C-alpha cells in the first residue's frame, strides 16, 4: 500500500503547529501518514510542487504562498476563488491539483464557537491573505461593513477587491493603523504580527466587544492580553477548525476539533513553560 505524505509549506515555518495537529489526527484515524513542515519562500512553490511524487496527498499553505498557489492548481473551489487564495491543495491520484481555502469556513466556525452575538460591523487589522479570508468569513456571518486598517492602502488592494466581490455586497473601507481615533465595531480581527501591536493600537481597540486574534504564537499577543472581560477568539481556534477541514479533505474522514485543540494547547505549553 502506498504510504501517504502531506505537509505544511511557508516561510517562516518552524513555528507551525500544523505538523502536531495533523499527526495527531492521522494517529486517531489509524493512518500511517507522514506530515512535515517545509520552508518554501515566495516564488518557490511551483518548483516544490513539481518535484512531488505519487505518495503525496495534501499540502497546507501559509504565508507567503496562499495567493501564489491559486495559479498553480488545476481546479479551485468557489471559496478559494472568492478569497483569491489557496491554503489547501489536495493532490489527486491522477495528478490533478485541487485548491481550496479552509481559512474562510474555519474562521467562521471559530467565531461562532465563542459567540452567538449578532455581528454587523467589523474592523480588520492588516490587509493580506488572512485578512481576506477572515473578512469573507465575517460577511458569511452577516457583517455588512468592514474597515481594513493598514499602513499602505495599495498593498491591501487585492483584499479590498475580494471583500467587495462577496455576493452580500458588503461595504469595505480602508483606514490607517496609526490613526489615533478609538475604534467602534462589533468585532475587531487582528492579522498583524504581535510586534506591530503597539500600545496605542491596542488602546484603540479597547471598546470593541469581540476580539479575534489570528496569531497563536507568541501567546498572548498584546491585543489578546487586553481582551479580559470581552469575548476572545484565538489563533488556535482558527487553526484547529481549518485543520480539521483539511484533514477531512486529505483523508475523506472527519476528526474532532477538540482532539486537535488539546494537542495544540499541549504543544504551546511545552514551548512556553510557566
Amino acid at each position: 500500500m502506498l504510504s501517504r505524505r502531506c505537509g505544511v509549506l511557508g516561510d517562516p515555518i518552524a513555528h507551525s503547529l500544523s505538523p502536531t495537529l495533523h499527526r495527531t489526527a492521522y494517529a486517531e484515524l489509524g493512518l500511517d501518514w507522514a506530515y512535515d513542515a517545509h520552508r518554501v519562500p515566495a516564488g518557490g512553490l511551483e518548483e516544490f510542487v513539481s518535484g512531488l511524487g505519487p505518495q503525496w496527498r495534501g499540502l497546507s499553505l501559509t504565508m507567503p504562498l496562499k495567493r501564489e498557489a491559486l495559479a498553480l492548481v488545476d481546479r479551485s473551489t468557489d471559496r478559494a476563488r472568492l478569497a483569491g487564495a489557496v491554503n489547501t491543495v489536495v493532490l489527486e491520484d491522477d495528478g490533478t491539483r485541487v485548491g481550496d481555502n479552509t481559512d474562510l469556513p474555519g474562521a467562521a466556525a471559530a467565531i461562532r464557537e465563542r459567540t452567538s452575538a449578532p455581528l454587523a460591523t467589523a474592523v480588520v487589522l492588516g490587509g493580506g491573505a488572512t485578512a481576506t479570508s477572515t473578512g469573507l468569513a465575517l460577511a458569511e456571518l452577516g457583517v455588512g461593513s468592514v474597515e481594513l486598517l493598514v499602513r499602505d492602502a495599495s498593498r491591501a488592494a487585492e483584499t479590498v477587491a475580494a471583500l467587495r466581490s462577496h455576493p452580500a455586497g458588503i461595504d469595505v473601507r480602508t483606514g490607517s493603523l496609526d490613526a489615533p481615533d478609538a475604534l467602534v465595531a462589533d468585532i475587531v480581527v487582528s492579522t498583524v504580527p504581535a510586534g506591530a501591536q503597539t500600545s496605542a493600537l491596542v488602546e484603540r481597540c479597547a471598546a470593541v466587544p469581540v476580539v479575534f486574534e489570528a496569531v497563536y504564537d507568541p501567546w498572548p499577543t498584546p491585543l489578546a492580553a487586553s481582551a479580559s472581560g470581552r469575548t476572545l477568539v484565538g489563533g488556535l481556534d482558527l487553526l484547529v477548525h481549518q485543520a480539521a477541514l483539511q484533514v477531512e479533505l486529505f483523508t475523506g474522514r472527519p476528526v474532532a476539533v477538540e482532539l486537535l485543540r488539546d494537542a495544540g494547547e499541549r504543544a504551546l505549553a511545552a514551548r512556553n513553560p510557566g
Side-chain angles (χ1 to χ4, degrees), residues 15 17 216-219 236 263-273:
H15 70 287
L17 279 182
Y216 61 83
D217 190 14
W219 188 264
L236 186 59
E265 288 175 346
R266 289 195 302 271
L268 287 175
R271 289 182 187 181
N272 306 290

Side-chain angles (χ1 to χ4, degrees), residues 18-227:
S18 291
T20 296
L21 303 186
H22 280 257
R23 290 169 185 169
T24 297
Y26 302 156
E28 176 71 12
L29 296 173
L31 299 173
D32 185 22
W33 286 25
Y35 187 104
D36 298 296
H38 302 267
R39 179 178 173 272
V40 178
L45 183 60
E46 183 172 12
E47 180 180 0
F48 184 92
V49 173
S50 66
L52 299 180
Q55 73 274 28
W56 281 83
R57 174 59 177 167
L59 303 175
S60 309
L61 304 177
T62 186
M63 63 181 297
L65 304 175
K66 295 179 182 180
R67 285 176 171 156
E68 185 177 326
L70 191 61
L72 299 180
V73 297
D74 302 303
R75 188 170 74 251
S76 56
T77 62
D78 290 342
R79 60 194 180 199
R81 290 191 297 274
L82 184 64
V86 165
N87 82 321
T88 307
V89 179
V90 179
L91 303 167
E92 303 285 8
D93 289 340
D94 64 0
T96 301
R97 305 168 185 170
V98 181
D100 204 344
N101 189 311
T102 62
D103 283 336
L104 200 165
I111 293 169
R112 279 301 173 227
E113 181 183 30
R114 299 298 181 186
T115 179
S116 59
L119 303 172
T121 59
V123 173
V124 178
L125 311 181
T130 302
T132 302
S133 57
T134 53
L136 291 169
L138 291 168
E140 296 289 319
L141 296 177
V143 169
S145 175
V146 175
E147 183 176 15
L148 296 171
L149 298 189
V150 295
R151 291 207 164 87
D152 181 355
S154 65
R155 297 183 65 180
E158 287 183 74
T159 295
V160 170
L163 297 186
R164 285 177 176 165
S165 71
H166 191 278
I170 60 175
D171 175 51
V172 184
R173 294 164 289 120
T174 58
S176 173
L177 278 170
D178 300 318
D181 54 304
L183 300 176
V184 178
D186 295 322
I187 182 171
V188 59
V189 180
S190 176
T191 68
V192 300
Q197 297 176 9
T198 64
S199 58
L201 179 60
V202 170
E203 181 60 29
R204 291 182 68 191
C205 302
V208 182
V210 180
V211 175
F212 184 175
E213 171 56 81
V215 170
Y216 61 83
D217 190 14
W219 188 264
T221 64
L223 183 62
S226 75

